[in-house]
Amino acid sequence: MTDPKMIHSWPGKLGVVQFKVPSTIYYKGSKVKWGFLCEDHDHDEGRKEWFKTYLDPEKLEQFCQKNPQAGYTRTNIHKWYRDYLKYLYRHIREQIKKSHSWEDKKICFIFSVPSTWSLSTADDFKNLIKEAGFADGSKKGLHSVEIGLYEPQAAAVYTIQESFVAFYPKDVVLVCDAGGGTTDLALLEITKVEDRFVHLDDVLAVQGANIGAVFIDQAFIDLVARRLEAGGITEATKKAYAMMRDTTSRSTTFEGCKCAFGLPTGNAPFYEIVVHGCEALTNAAANITDGKMKFSRDDFKGFFDPLADKIIRLIERQLTDMQEMHKNKKVSYIVLSGGLGSSAYICQRLEQKFKDYDHPNVSNLKIIVSHEPQLSVAKGLVFDCLQRMKVGKSVLVKKASRASFGIVVQPVYDKERHVGEDLFTDKLDGLKRARNQIHWFVIKDKPVQENDKSLRYPFSAFRSPEEMDDVGTLTIKVMKYDGDSPPKSTKYGRAVHELDVEADLSEIPRRKWEKVHRRLFGFGRGQSHYRVSFEIRAVVGPTNLRFELWCDGANYTNEHNINLEWVEGAEASAPRNEDLDTDKIYMGRTR
């Protein structure tokens, strides 16, 4: 498969190869800067970074409760997203137009999201992408936007296709994508590898936690600030941030030490890092000699070990869930990707823990690092898109959701199935029915695939003769349940109303309505009425689920999309995430 071409030239870093650009934006009056152009405004109030987490309303509310003085609102978080994406889009357009046409070219912009995002957050993100202009570049409607695979899934696609390791069908791979702010796990089984194409099935839903390299940065800042304050040095926090961000010094930098820690070249007994503004200063209380602060190897272990411990616990929890649901499957590989995942020290910690690991679902476990850990997600998304274009199928064949999804129905009463349920007699057909039952299409952690028979459900709508002049719309409630055993009905209050699916019944030709005459004898006498029969279909997409109503081969559903995140890429359920306090970090960076 052709290797994707990467954009590696960015404003503010001309002449320097950079495959990633910081998610940073800066405001001063009417002036706006983004990415690397913000580097000259390290501690400026107008600099906004590490705001991505707060697209989640729950996370934003938690932050605002702890930091009311910050004045963060949903509106300004959306503005920072929209503005950053707008400048990103413009740069992508400029780069592509150097060698290709633009408006008449079919272009699909594919984005990946972390598994810690909820359905509504992912939907908000997609809307912001469109508002930034990503779908407006062609008057012919040739440009489109989609949310593709989840980050660990995309990383798995790239690694399996490009790794020097030979993967085979039935191999189970646990992908750990550890980046700047989050760590996501995907447990995938390889079902087919042929002609550079791969097919994967979800074994369990994707899980995520707020574990990322930003915590290493903050731990470094805290230690430096404490030392500077102990030495009586002013502007301790500002100097600490400058040390953390410095990537230009000719001497040793924190960034360089962080990236090299764990490598043979980075295992010095101590590191000396320049303190800007304190050149030639010697201060024993601050551990500074000749303008350089000394750090021991144990200091750096203190930055990394808390994250390594949390990643290990996350992996062990995934293995425990696997043991409960898939006793006969065994994990053969742990694949590390992402910036933090590429850390040699993190890899060493995982090897120490999982080498000869005694677990019934582990067999000769090997840990491998993705060939290009920081690019594996982007390239994996492209590989999946190319595979869909060439063979008509996504890399992910079976998908597992982190929650159950179903619809509210009123089925005919069954004395065995509806014990204890609320009953009523339908005034039109006269049949006794069970009230507000839930038919579950997707069960948490149970993989499903496109066109599975379980994703279809027969359904009927009824109207009286008087209502046939204006049949109106049919509304079906879609329910969600995060637990392990979904309830049979809404009676128990455990399932959550996720959205409504509507069908405009007036669009259905009158001839498709069957007239049902009133019964004079027997059970269920009712009234004369009209009935139209549907089939409700749950349509599985790469990272979403749609509910559609079909009648005689035609789809009568109003435009909608339930951007539910699948476990392979699924919606992150809050109880599955580590309870980590990131607010201190984000607040510190925007002071």
Side-chain angles (χ1 to χ4, degrees), residues 261-282:
F261 190 61
L263 295 171
T265 55
N267 282 338
F270 59 85
Y271 312 90
E272 293 182 321
I273 300 176
V274 172
V275 183
H276 293 282
C278 298
E279 289 79 357
L281 174 69
T282 297

Side-chain angles (χ1 to χ4, degrees), residues 419-439:
V419 176
E421 297 295 320
D422 294 336
L423 306 177
F424 71 99
T425 299
D426 191 294
K427 66 178 182 179
L428 289 180
D429 64 13
L431 298 178
K432 183 183 292 187
R433 296 180 177 272
R435 188 184 303 278
N436 295 336
Q437 302 299 290
I438 304 177
H439 175 76

Side-chain angles (χ1 to χ4, degrees), residues 298-311:
D298 284 342
D299 289 333
F300 269 75
K301 287 181 66 177
F303 303 151
F304 279 82
D305 280 338
L307 301 187
D309 292 340
K310 293 179 187 298
I311 291 174

Side-chain angles (χ1 to χ4, degrees), residues 19 50 82 120 177 234 272 331 353 369 398 454 509:
F19 289 110
W50 303 108
R82 191 183 302 109
S120 59
D177 182 64
T234 59
E272 293 182 321
V331 179
K353 176 66 178 181
V369 178
K398 290 185 178 180
S454 66

Side-chain angles (χ1 to χ4, degrees), residues 407-411 418 421-424 433-440 477 479 487-493 495:
I407 60 171
V408 177
V409 295
Q410 323 291 335
H418 300 137
E421 297 295 320
D422 294 336
L423 306 177
F424 71 99
R433 296 180 177 272
R435 188 184 303 278
N436 295 336
Q437 302 299 290
I438 304 177
H439 175 76
W440 296 102
K477 292 183 178 180
M479 308 298 290
K488 295 191 299 181
S489 71
T490 63
K491 176 180 179 180
Y492 306 99

